[in-house]
């Protein structure tokens, strides 16, 4: 009889939950830990297409992604008055991606993956990996809640500032190459602005306190 294989995944984001879903389907005993207190509802808009489509299809979540997604019709480059200076129909992007394109919020993508996890999967929020020790037989993962897990595989899916990478391979600055960009993303509710923007994405490179859409 084949021995049950055990995996610890650090990070319950897009890659961590996807790995969890596929490995659980293939008979692995899965534990996922994430340092966040729970799934984060905030996030930015992403265009989901390309290499991620195939695994999403295998997980059976494409219909759910369509349900959660937004029907964006076009992308407008706008000036500081909110007037369109250039416009691109999203159908052009969709054609290039053979129709396999969905615009949705990152937390909704995460939600769709979480929904297909087996209900008994060991998913622990508010917990992270604090030490890693490996032998030829297994990996011992120490958790910051004082517990420890023995596994056959540890996956670091904890994002760009991965703690697992640091614990196993060394300090982050040996691996991270800052390219000079920073991103800030937030969501807010404004029904008037939403009505003005409608079914398009507005992009601007203007820096002004007075943007009028
Ligand atoms: C503004 C913006 C727009 C983007 N647009 C697109 C797009 O249009 N299309 C596209 O395909 N991609 C887009 N991306 C990229 C996409 O969001 C990322 O590639 C994707 O989220 C990476 O997934 P991940 O699971 O590797 O990491 P993340 O999604 O970052 O998840 C990491 C998880 O690990 C957890 N974690 C972090 N540190 C620890 C720790 N020490 N211990 C335990 N858990 C930890 C976090 O809480 C999180 O749940 C965009 C990114 C940004 C910032």
């Amino acid at each position: 009889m084949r021995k049950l294989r055990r995996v610890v995944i650090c990070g319950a984001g897009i890659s961590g939950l996807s790995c969890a879903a596929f490995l659980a389907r293939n008979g692995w005993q899965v534990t996922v830990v994430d340092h966040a207190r729970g799934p984060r509802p905030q996030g930015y808009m992403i265009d989901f297409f390309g290499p991620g489509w195939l695994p999403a299809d295998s997980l059976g979540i494409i219909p759910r992604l369509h349900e959660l997604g937004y029907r964006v019709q076009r992308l407008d480059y706008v000036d500081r008055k909110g007037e369109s200076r250039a416009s691109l129909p999203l159908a052009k992007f969709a054609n290039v991606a053979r129709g396999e394109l969905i615009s949705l919020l990152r937390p909704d993508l995460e939600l769709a993956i979480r929904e297909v996890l087996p209900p008994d999967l060991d998913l622990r929020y508010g917990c992270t990996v604090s030490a890693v020790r490996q032998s030829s037989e297994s990996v011992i993962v120490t958790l910051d809640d004082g517990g420890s897990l023995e596994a056959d595989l540890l996956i670091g899916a904890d994002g760009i500032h991965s703690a697992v990478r640091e614990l196993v391979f060394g300090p982050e600055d040996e691996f991270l190459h800052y390219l000079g960009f920073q991103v800030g993303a937030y969501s807010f509710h404004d029904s008037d602005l939403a009505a003005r923007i409608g079914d398009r994405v507005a992009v601007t490179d203007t820096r002004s306190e007075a943007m009028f859409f």
Side-chain angles (χ1 to χ4, degrees):
M1 208 171 73
R2 211 165 78 185
K3 195 179 143 235
L4 180 72
R5 289 162 303 174
R6 175 152 200 171
V7 58
V8 176
I9 301 172
C10 184
I14 312 302
S15 55
L17 294 179
S18 304
C19 286
F22 281 110
L23 288 168
R25 282 181 187 193
N26 282 284
W28 286 66
Q29 188 180 326
V30 182
T31 298
V32 184
V33 297
D34 196 296
H35 69 172
R37 269 189 277 179
R40 276 178 281 204
Q42 298 88 6
Y44 41 86
M45 197 77 176
I46 65 169
D47 284 318
F48 183 74
F49 65 102
W53 198 272
L54 187 61
D57 197 23
S58 305
L59 288 178
I61 61 171
I62 297 291
R64 181 70 171 129
L65 296 184
H66 277 295
E67 210 174 277
L68 294 165
Y70 293 80
R71 311 217 181 305
V72 177
Q73 297 300 326
R74 64 180 209 277
L75 189 77
D76 275 354
Y77 290 89
V78 299
D79 63 15
R80 63 188 298 273
K81 290 187 175 160
E83 277 164 24
S84 176
R85 294 290 167 221
S87 189
L88 198 59
L90 216 78
K92 295 243 183 213
F93 286 123
N95 285 345
V96 173
R98 292 171 298 144
E100 296 174 347
L101 170 71
I102 302 174
S103 302
L104 81 171
L105 287 167
R106 185 200 161 282
D108 286 342
L109 174 57
E110 202 183 279
L111 170 72
I113 306 168
R114 212 167 38 245
E115 284 174 348
V116 296
L117 294 177
D120 59 346
L121 191 134
D122 184 10
L123 174 56
R124 306 182 193 181
Y125 285 99
C127 179
T128 190
V129 173
S130 57
V132 177
R133 189 159 47 86
Q134 56 184 333
S135 69
S136 55
E137 300 295 308
S138 65
V139 55
I140 309 285
V141 179
T142 307
L143 303 175
D144 67 345
D145 63 4
S148 75
L149 297 164
E150 184 170 12
D152 301 288
L153 178 65
L154 166 66
I155 297 180
D158 45 351
I160 196 166
H161 299 292
S162 171
V164 170
R165 181 186 55 210
E166 179 135 344
L167 288 169
V168 176
F169 297 109
E172 173 170 295
D173 55 17
E174 287 177 26
F175 303 97
L176 206 68
H177 304 288
Y178 179 53
L179 299 176
F181 297 98
Q182 293 192 40
V183 175
Y186 58 94
S187 52
F188 59 93
H189 296 278
D190 183 329
S191 50
D192 181 43
L193 184 61
R196 288 175 193 213
I197 292 180
D199 54 7
R200 66 199 169 111
V201 167
V203 178
T204 187
D205 61 358
T206 48
R207 281 190 292 167
S208 166
E209 284 171 16
M211 282 280 305
F212 300 102
F213 282 94

